[in-house]
Amino acid sequence: GENVEQHPSTLSVQEGDSAVIKCTYSDSASNYFPWYKQELGKRPQLIIDIRSNVGEKKDQRIAVTLNKTAKHFSLHITETQPEDSAVYFCAASKGPSGGSYIPTFGRGTSLIVHP
Amino acid sequence: EAGVVQSPRYKIIEKKQPVAFWCNPISGHNTLYWYRQNLGQGPELLIRYENEEAVDDSQLPKDRFSAERLKGVDSTLKIQPAELGDSAVYLCASSFGQFTGELFFGEGSRLTVL
């Protein structure tokens, strides 16, 4: 099955700095890579995703890059703000498979933004 | 529009006791997932339903865990008997299946087994 590795497990930055979280996946058939943000005590929510036919995607201060050859993808957050503090999960999925996507999640990165 | 609803939010039980979690997905979402999230870990899939059919339950410990999704809408996950290692957050999620990869999660049910 798919295996997703995520680094670092904890990331501490000053407000205004950039943050980068990196993930690798094992199954070359994976074609969909979402990122979820989970604030303390709350549900995970999708913040950005990328499909295998695209190398980069941006949404305001957030960007995701994908290197299919190396089987790794990264989340970039620029101009970090205290409200960006949360746990971020990357995931990899083949899909749709059997009717839907089945994401395998990384272990998460706890991002702490210091004011 | 209401999101994915789960209950109870918190449950504390003694080991060997039974426990059940309930999930009501977003209306119209045909795919329903149950994930388990251990402290400091990412969600791990337990079972996935396409409408009322369980199509991926390879990670469900079938000796003690069971699930059902009657009429292809809400779902129940049961543990009987619970063990200390079952302490975790049980997340339910739903999606439109083949039309989108986005999962919509509930707030989770936090289980503590003493």
Side-chain angles (χ1 to χ4, degrees):
Chain A
E2 176 65 273
N3 182 51
V4 177
E5 299 286 340
Q6 182 172 349
H7 300 280
S9 57
T10 305
L11 181 58
S12 183
V13 301
Q14 290 295 128
E15 182 177 358
D17 288 350
S18 295
V20 180
I21 302 170
K22 298 182 179 182
C23 290
T24 60
Y25 61 100
S26 61
D27 190 342
S28 57
S30 289
N31 59 4
Y32 175 67
F33 307 91
W35 287 86
Y36 286 81
K37 175 182 180 182
Q38 186 175 28
E39 297 179 9
L40 190 62
K42 297 191 175 181
R43 69 189 78 194
Q45 291 188 298
L46 181 74
I47 55 170
I48 194 167
D49 56 15
I50 190 167
R51 297 185 185 273
S52 58
N53 58 344
V54 176
E56 183 176 1
K57 183 177 179 180
K58 287 185 178 181
D59 183 3
Q60 300 182 9
R61 297 184 298 108
I62 296 174
V64 58
T65 58
L66 171 65
N67 183 327
K68 288 174 54 181
T69 302
K71 290 191 281 190
H72 67 70
F73 55 113
S74 301
L75 178 71
H76 304 253
I77 306 175
T78 58
E79 301 173 17
T80 54
Q81 301 169 3
E83 52 265 39
D84 294 329
S85 295
V87 178
Y88 292 80
F89 294 98
C90 64
S93 176
K94 289 180 287 190
S97 173
S100 59
Y101 292 79
I102 312 168
T104 299
F105 288 87
R107 293 171 61 122
T109 296
S110 177
L111 174 64
I112 303 166
V113 181
H114 299 280
Chain B
E1 178 183 325
V4 176
V5 179
Q6 289 187 247
S7 69
R9 290 292 314 280
Y10 305 92
K11 189 74 175 180
I12 301 173
I13 60 172
E14 299 281 337
K15 62 180 181 182
K16 300 185 181 180
Q17 293 298 305
V19 63
F21 305 112
W22 175 81
C23 172
N24 184 250
I26 292 173
S27 177
H29 282 193
N30 57 305
T31 307
L32 185 146
Y33 310 75
W34 281 103
Y35 280 89
R36 177 168 58 190
Q37 186 176 24
N38 292 310
L39 189 64
Q41 305 288 320
E44 296 177 322
L45 182 68
L46 291 174
I47 189 168
R48 172 174 66 101
Y49 283 91
E50 295 295 336
N51 300 303
E52 67 276 9
E53 183 181 1
V55 294
D56 188 349
D57 63 354
S58 59
Q59 300 302 311
L60 190 72
K62 297 182 183 62
D63 57 336
R64 298 183 301 107
F65 285 65
S66 64
E68 61 182 9
R69 189 183 185 196
L70 298 176
K71 300 181 181 179
V73 182
D74 54 358
S75 176
T76 303
L77 177 70
K78 298 179 181 178
I79 308 174
Q80 183 172 10
E83 297 179 352
L84 295 177
D86 296 331
S87 295
V89 175
Y90 291 84
L91 288 165
C92 178
S94 68
S95 77
F96 271 121
Q98 63 179 328
F99 300 108
T100 173
E102 180 175 5
L103 270 61
F104 294 83
F105 285 90
E107 294 191 300
S109 294
R110 180 178 296 277
L111 173 65
T112 301
V113 182
L114 303 176

